[in-house]
Amino acid sequence: IEKNAFSGCKKLNTITLKGKNLKTVQSNAFKGTTKNLTFKTKGMKKSQKDKLLKILKKGGNKKIKVK
């Protein structure tokens, strides 16, 4: 996910990932988004979700959740 991709999108609440191959999230990709931003994933194991969460938090929103 590119730098500043969703920066300032205050109405963005949920993002659904259809694949398992998200590798990088650049800085400030989610800066200024809502505090309850949630990523929905299908078919991912808990270990994969934990790894994804670490990658996503680098995007500027420390309160992102992965379900």
Side-chain angles (χ1 to χ4, degrees):
I1 299 175
E2 297 294 322
K3 186 175 184 177
N4 298 319
F6 298 102
S7 181
C9 294
K10 298 194 183 287
K11 293 184 179 183
L12 183 64
N13 292 318
T14 306
I15 297 174
T16 303
L17 296 177
K18 293 185 178 184
K20 299 178 186 177
N21 295 328
L22 181 63
K23 303 267 189 231
T24 60
V25 175
Q26 295 184 355
S27 63
N28 298 327
F30 301 105
K31 187 175 183 179
T33 56
T34 59
K35 292 181 181 177
N36 59 348
L37 182 60
T38 304
F39 275 79
K40 290 185 180 181
T41 59
K42 292 185 179 182
M44 278 191 166
K45 297 177 184 176
K46 179 160 175 28
S47 61
Q48 291 172 315
K49 289 180 181 182
D50 292 341
K51 186 177 178 182
L52 176 64
L53 186 59
K54 285 182 183 179
I55 293 170
L56 291 172
K57 286 188 175 183
K58 292 179 183 177
N61 185 339
K62 302 295 182 196
K63 296 189 178 192
I64 289 178
K65 297 175 190 164
V66 175
K67 291 187 177 183

